[in-house]
Amino acid sequence: MKKQFMPFITFITALLFIAAGCSQSPQAKETPPRMAAAAPAKKDGLPNVKILATGGTIAGAAPSKTSATEYTAGAIGVDALIQAVPEIKEVAHVSGEQVVNIGSQNMNNETLLKLAKRVNKLLKSDDTDGIVITHGTDTLEETAYFLNLTVKSDKPVVVAGSMRPSTAIGADGPSNLYNAVKTAAAPDAKGKGTLVVLNDRIASARYVTKTNTTAADTFKSEEMGYIGTIADDIYFNNIMTRKHTKDTDFKIDKLDKLPQVDIIYGYQNDGSYLFEAAVKSGAQGIIFAGPGNGSMSDAAQKGAVKSVKSGLAVVRSTRTGNGTVTPNREYEKDHLTASNSLNPQKARILLMLALTKTHDPKRIQTYFNEY
Ligand code: DGL
């Protein structure tokens, strides 16, 4: 667990950035989106890319250049991020908005909805050709996948983060931000679903997951591979085959909250009590992160059946990190569905949206087979 320094560091960092002529806002918990300055007309043919900042390590700061794991996430603002990479202006007209400035472990349904609605509003305008979202890496894949399911446009939406804070030797944030803007500005990035750009790789939000606590190459799509790479130029070499963005069934414009869906881990000697606790706390769905192919112990299955009888949707996923959880009559008889190839944290995102449309296990299974 990365220790987080207190705001004192933030204050010092703020002074450093102000001294360097960067305007920035010290760590703010919740800031309304500042209206982005009107983007200049595209006289030079460069596209307009909006950068929506949410915090994370990419906006992190530490007291020493050698601190790579102990820092304050969300310590600097979007203007400082942009001004640290002036080369961005060679690939796009950029303007920034600070949606929130938090560690992504604190990202929640309310902020997720606010971010996705802001993305959709911006993309409706001809003034926006693409969007980059800077985000903490811990839950980046959940936000990226939520956008993959809710963005109503084929314009590029790219999520970027970093594994080292902005103050560290070898900070990876500036190059990740530059690559993300370059990808969002690339005509070939249109229609590919929400993308995740870190470490010179372009990944699909549907396939990518964080696989390492601290390594720069932590984001991997082990089974389906990356969909592109960045090596000065951008090379797309794969496509994501699931429904996404413009083809989505899910609407969020009238939604002001998402159903509570919890994740329960399966392990030796587990029981039914965590299912009972989820039901009692008001969950409408449960994702079971089971061993192997979503296997349930008798005790866990008893808890799952009781949850279904209480009106919840229960989806079997897997704690293995890879592979497809397949439907199984042993579980289908109890109306338990299978997460297909979605890991538990992404299965939760899809089930939340599915429950805004239906509680029918058969329709829910169709969504897991399609998205
Ligand atoms: N606090 C973690 C987060 O914001 C730091 C991890 C990171 O951004 O790399 O996700």
Side-chain angles (χ1 to χ4, degrees):
M1 180 69 181
K2 295 179 175 175
K3 273 191 273 164
Q4 308 278 319
F5 279 81
M6 300 309 291
F8 168 73
I9 305 300
T10 309
F11 176 69
I12 298 297
T13 309
L15 288 181
L16 288 174
F17 273 94
I18 291 168
C22 297
S23 67
Q24 49 79 35
S25 50
Q27 186 168 353
K29 287 281 174 244
E30 190 80 26
T31 48
R34 275 189 307 98
M35 285 315 294
K42 292 185 267 187
K43 57 188 180 310
D44 49 11
L46 286 181
N48 292 329
V49 172
K50 294 274 192 301
I51 298 175
L52 303 184
T54 70
T57 298
I58 194 168
S64 143
K65 288 176 69 174
T66 55
S67 296
T69 60
E70 293 190 10
Y71 54 84
T72 302
I76 59 173
V78 63
D79 295 340
L81 291 176
I82 295 171
Q83 293 187 20
V85 195
E87 295 76 10
I88 278 179
K89 296 191 172 24
E90 294 161 16
V91 293
H93 294 297
V94 293
S95 54
E97 284 182 18
Q98 194 77 47
V99 178
V100 286
N101 214 348
I102 57 173
S104 73
Q105 66 275 19
N106 289 317
M107 183 57 79
N108 58 28
N109 287 353
E110 184 191 348
T111 308
L112 205 50
L113 273 174
K114 174 179 161 185
L115 175 66
K117 288 178 181 177
R118 185 66 187 144
V119 167
N120 277 328
K121 187 166 182 344
L122 287 167
L123 290 179
K124 277 203 183 101
S125 157
D126 291 341
D127 197 18
T128 302
D129 299 302
I131 288 183
V132 167
I133 291 148
T134 57
H135 196 287
T137 60
D138 286 355
T139 67
L140 187 148
E141 65 200 77
E142 293 159 74
T143 297
Y145 187 51
F146 185 79
L147 294 169
N148 199 54
L149 299 174
T150 57
V151 166
K152 298 278 189 190
S153 168
D154 62 359
K155 293 178 182 175
V157 174
V158 181
V159 188
S162 77
M163 291 304 289
R164 298 187 197 100
S166 60
T167 45
I169 300 170
D172 51 333
S175 63
N176 290 345
L177 180 59
Y178 175 78
N179 283 341
V181 171
K182 195 167 181 176
T183 303
D188 286 354
K190 273 187 87 164
K192 289 189 162 58
T194 301
L195 303 174
V196 172
V197 167
L198 278 99
N199 203 40
D200 301 336
R201 301 302 200 285
I202 304 172
S204 162
R206 171 59 177 74
Y207 297 154
V208 76
T209 186
K210 184 171 182 177
T211 64
N212 186 288
T213 55
T214 55
D217 67 344
T218 182
F219 279 92
K220 292 202 163 52
S221 308
E222 280 160 352
E223 296 264 295
M224 278 67 109
Y226 297 110
I227 67 166
T229 53
I230 300 158
D232 290 342
D233 288 333
I234 292 177
Y235 303 90
F236 283 109
N237 42 41
N238 200 347
I239 54 162
M240 186 272 290
T241 57
R242 297 300 180 97
K243 276 175 92 170
H244 61 80
T245 56
K246 272 181 87 170
D247 298 331
T248 185
D249 294 289
F250 307 115
K251 293 183 181 60
I252 57 165
D253 48 333
K254 303 250 184 317
L255 268 188
D256 53 20
K257 88 186 249 128
L258 291 162
Q260 177 188 324
V261 172
D262 294 312
I263 300 174
I264 294 176
Y265 211 77
Y267 47 88
Q268 285 184 355
N269 205 50
D270 63 9
S272 61
Y273 45 89
L274 295 179
F275 289 87
E276 288 147 23
V279 172
K280 226 176 264 158
S281 72
Q284 293 186 42
I286 292 171
I287 303 296
F288 181 69
N293 189 356
S295 308
M296 280 186 170
S297 66
D298 294 345
Q301 189 159 354
K302 190 163 139 264
V305 168
K306 275 172 77 176
S307 304
V308 169
K309 289 202 169 101
S310 305
L312 275 71
V314 178
V315 178
R316 297 163 39 237
S317 184
T318 174
R319 68 183 203 185
T320 60
N322 276 301
T324 297
V325 177
T326 54
N328 176 318
R329 277 186 293 277
E330 160 61 18
Y331 297 116
E332 284 183 310
K333 71 177 174 24
D334 294 329
H335 310 296
L336 306 179
T337 45
S339 71
N340 200 286
S341 57
L342 283 175
N343 66 25
Q345 52 272 30
K346 287 187 187 174
R348 172 182 166 273
I349 296 291
L350 178 53
L351 184 54
M352 282 198 297
L353 288 166
L355 289 171
T356 65
K357 305 279 288 183
T358 180
H359 279 242
D360 171 13
K362 286 196 172 11
R363 273 188 70 198
I364 289 173
Q365 186 63 68
T366 305
Y367 288 139
F368 275 88
N369 297 341
E370 289 176 342
Y371 284 90

